[in-house]
Structure formats: C-alpha cells, structure tokens
Amino acid sequence: MKGVILHGGHGTRLRPLTHTGPKQLLPIANKPMSQYCLESIRKTGITDVAIIVGGIGSNRVRDYYKDGQDFGVKITYIEQDLPRGIAHAIRLCKEFVGNDKFLVFLGDNIIQKEITEFAREFENSDASASILLCEVDNPSRFGIADVKDGKIIKIMEKPRNPPTNLAVTGIYFLTPEIFDVIDNLKPSWRNELEITDSLQVLLEKNRKITYHKITDYWKDTGTPEDIIHANGEILDNIKPSFSGTKDDSVSISGNVSIGIGTVIRNGVKVIGPAIIGNNCIIEDNAVIGPNTSIGDNCTISFCDISQSIVMADCTINAERIIRSSIIAFNSKIIKAKNHDEGVFLLGEGTQIII
C-alpha cells in the first residue's frame, strides 16, 4: 500500500497566515499540521509516500520534509499546477500508485485516532474504496454521506440541505480503479474535480465502499478558529516534560512541555495544557496558557496569552491580554502600556507597536 498527502491549495480562509507558505505547514502544538498526517500514514506501515505540492511556498514543503528519511518514509513530490480539486490531485498520482491500493490524506486534517486497523482491513478487502466519516455540527460545509442500514447509499459535496450530519473526512482508502472514474468526471460548479463525485460514481456502478465512523477527535483545519481548537485538543494529549531552566519565582501547573535551552524567570506563570519550544526566553510576569503553543526562539514578557498559537522567532514585549490569536513566524508585538484584550491574526514578519 502507498500513501498520498495533498499539500496544495491557496488557504484563502487563513490569510494573511498563508501569504508566504502553505497552510499545511502552519504549526499545531509546534508541529506542522501535515506532519500529523505523515506520522499517521507511517504508523500503518506505509513507507512510500507522495506529497502533492502547488501554490505559494511549495518549496518550503520540500525544504521541511526533504526525502522523508528523517520521518521514516521515502517521499516523492508531485506538482499540481493549479488547485483543480481533490480528485484532480489524486489523478496526478496514477504513475506513483501503479497497481497498489493507496491511502490519501488531506494535509490539513487532524485526527487523534490511529488508522492502522482500517488500513489493514482495506488492504485485505474487496472494496473499491473505504472512507472515514465523522458527525459534525455544520454538515453543509463538508462532503456528506447518506447511510442507511449500515450501507452508504449516496455521497454528495456540500449539500444545502444535508440528509445526515456524517461528514466525509479528508482520509480515503482507494484502489487504482478511481483513476478511470476521474478520467470521465465532469467539473463541479466550482470548476473542480470532486472526490465526492468520484465516490458517488463508484456507488452508481455498484462498487463496494466501506466506511468507519470516527468517534475520536477529527478536525478539518480550514479556519483560524479550527486551528486554535485543534491546537488545544493536541495539547491535551502531550506528555509533560521540562528541558529548560527556571527560577524559584516561576509557577508551572498542568500538562506542560518546555523545550531545550528555554529560560523561564521573573514571576512567569505557565498553565497547561501548553507547549513552549526550544531556546525561548519567557520573563517579566508573563502568563502562558492554557491551550497555548509557543514556537522556538521566542522572547515573551509582560503579556498574558491563552488559547493561542505563537510561531517561532516571535517577540512579544507588551502588557496585553492576548486571546484566540495566531501570531505567525518572526512577528513582533512591542511596548504596550495597558491591559486591553487583543485578538491578533498576524502574517509572517509582521511588526506591531502599540
């Protein structure tokens, strides 16, 4: 079996965070979201993986994952010139897949449950496809499966009046049969080749499509709110660790991970769940957490940050309450004189003086 990660798209709902790079490299709990996908694939035993790249900053994907050796896999990169739909991206993998069954992961999907059992079951089955479904509160945002008596009877893309709340997650087990279906597929109203339409064609051909329901956490991280929510869920499950240094005035409580070379001092409070990366300086009565990630090489003082993500190489020296915010790489917020609450969505390299 082979693995495929879709790493393209423009990430328009996440701008300005995605003006300089793909959304799938945005960190959740200090790790790119697509790395969770790669690790999930690797746990199934799959080591031959293709990553579909395209759009802004696709070179950053290659720079990060390289040949895959550091992640225990072999990576092949495939270019998609324009975002023409999930099915179009999958079709680009025909030569890579060959005659093998394969697992497709959308690179912005976060799942807590291991899928090894599902992969093994599909590999030994006669099904043409297998999909993972999850109950959601807003089904009109997703591809939806209509299930009756334990059998999928219809799959549709973002219906106005969804017949169920079972979303088709961005995790698909497929066979090479899907390529012929895609070759005969017509673009949707979005002018894209939809994977949901491809699966519906298989159903209409009386092909077998199995499914599993995810009852653990799953999130399609399409918005800043989704990313912040996923960050909190992942942090809930991190292992507490402390590899830095701190003075006696520091208070650390809850599930907290502190990286190598990080210095925490001068009355700081860290409230878990939280993660602070390597080589950070956290000082001057700052409050970090809960549900907060601080990337490597950050300097933070005075502020109170919770329910937020601060990426690597940032400086925050401000008497500010920061909530529900994402602050991108190499940004600065400096010199505030009040405690007004702030909500920030800062793109890479931003500097704010307040």
Side-chain angles (χ1 to χ4, degrees):
M1 225 171 149
K2 292 180 179 175
V4 175
I5 297 175
L6 305 191
H7 216 293
H10 292 309
T12 53
R13 289 183 294 169
L14 289 168
R15 290 175 180 167
L17 301 173
T18 52
H19 276 314
T20 55
K23 67 177 179 178
Q24 298 90 343
L25 286 186
L26 295 176
I28 293 177
N30 286 0
K31 189 188 324 184
M33 62 178 77
S34 57
Q35 187 174 333
Y36 293 98
C37 303
L38 184 60
E39 291 172 352
S40 187
I41 290 172
R42 178 64 187 87
K43 286 177 182 177
T44 70
I46 294 171
T47 57
D48 201 358
V49 179
I51 297 182
I52 313 302
V53 294
I56 294 171
S58 60
N59 59 308
R60 292 189 175 191
V61 184
R62 289 185 172 88
D63 290 343
Y64 185 79
Y65 290 112
K66 299 182 174 64
D67 62 1
Q69 184 175 350
D70 292 343
F71 302 91
V73 298
K74 177 186 175 184
I75 292 177
T76 299
Y77 294 96
I78 299 173
E79 288 277 352
Q80 185 183 31
D81 55 354
L82 292 170
R84 304 184 189 202
I86 293 172
H88 176 266
I90 290 172
R91 178 60 177 82
L92 296 174
C93 301
K94 182 176 182 178
E95 183 177 341
F96 167 79
V97 167
N99 295 319
D100 295 322
K101 294 182 177 182
F102 61 110
L103 165 59
V104 176
F105 242 104
L106 302 193
D108 58 356
N109 274 232
I110 300 295
I111 184 174
Q112 295 272 36
K113 183 177 179 62
E114 283 196 25
I115 59 172
T116 302
E117 179 185 337
F118 303 152
R120 188 178 299 115
E121 179 182 305
F122 181 69
E123 197 163 15
N124 295 322
S125 78
D126 60 352
S128 294
S130 185
I131 58 178
L132 302 188
L133 305 177
C134 186
E135 292 185 0
V136 295
D137 295 330
N138 47 350
S140 60
R141 274 186 54 190
F142 302 95
I144 294 297
D146 194 1
V147 176
K148 293 287 189 296
D149 300 322
K151 183 179 179 181
I152 299 174
I153 60 172
K154 190 173 183 180
I155 298 173
M156 61 213 84
E157 181 65 24
K158 297 182 175 65
R160 290 184 179 180
N161 298 300
T164 75
N165 67 339
L166 289 174
V168 179
T169 71
I171 305 164
Y172 313 92
F173 295 93
L174 301 169
T175 71
E177 182 179 3
I178 198 69
F179 299 127
D180 290 335
V181 171
I182 295 171
D183 284 340
N184 293 287
L185 204 62
K186 293 181 180 179
S188 67
W189 63 271
R190 301 190 299 176
N191 200 31
E192 293 185 357
L193 297 181
E194 309 284 2
I195 185 60
T196 45
D197 290 347
S198 306
L199 295 169
Q200 177 61 25
V201 170
L202 288 177
L203 286 176
E204 292 168 0
K205 290 185 174 184
N206 294 316
R207 298 298 194 265
K208 183 178 179 181
I209 299 181
T210 60
Y211 72 92
H212 294 278
K213 287 185 183 180
I214 299 175
T215 55
D216 300 67
Y217 183 79
W218 167 76
K219 178 65 75 172
D220 168 15
T221 53
T223 67
E225 294 77 15
D226 291 334
I227 291 177
I228 290 168
H229 189 272
N231 186 66
E233 291 290 327
I234 295 295
L235 288 176
D236 273 339
N237 293 301
I238 64 170
K239 294 181 180 179
S241 63
F242 189 93
S243 300
T245 60
K246 65 183 181 69
D247 66 26
D248 292 339
S249 68
V250 171
S251 169
I252 297 178
S253 60
N255 193 17
V256 174
S257 175
I258 308 293
I260 297 170
T262 287
V263 178
I264 306 178
R265 60 196 180 201
N266 300 341
V268 166
K269 293 182 181 179
V270 183
I271 306 165
I275 186 170
I276 299 174
N278 300 327
N279 302 313
C280 295
I281 298 174
I282 315 293
E283 59 187 351
D284 295 329
N285 299 305
V287 179
I288 307 296
N291 296 323
T292 297
S293 297
I294 307 295
D296 295 343
N297 308 310
C298 288
T299 300
I300 296 177
S301 54
F302 297 112
C303 58
D304 180 337
I305 307 174
S306 70
Q307 310 289 339
S308 295
I309 298 171
V310 180
M311 300 182 198
D313 303 305
C314 289
T315 298
I316 303 177
N317 177 9
E319 295 182 25
R320 280 277 171 172
I321 297 173
I322 298 174
R323 300 285 185 267
S324 304
S325 299
I326 303 175
I327 298 172
F329 304 100
N330 196 33
S331 293
K332 293 183 179 181
I333 302 174
I334 56 177
K335 294 301 180 187
K337 295 183 179 180
N338 57 58
H339 292 279
D340 293 335
E341 184 170 317
V343 175
F344 298 97
L345 191 64
L346 302 188
E348 186 171 346
T350 299
Q351 179 169 310
I352 296 178
I353 301 174
I354 50 179

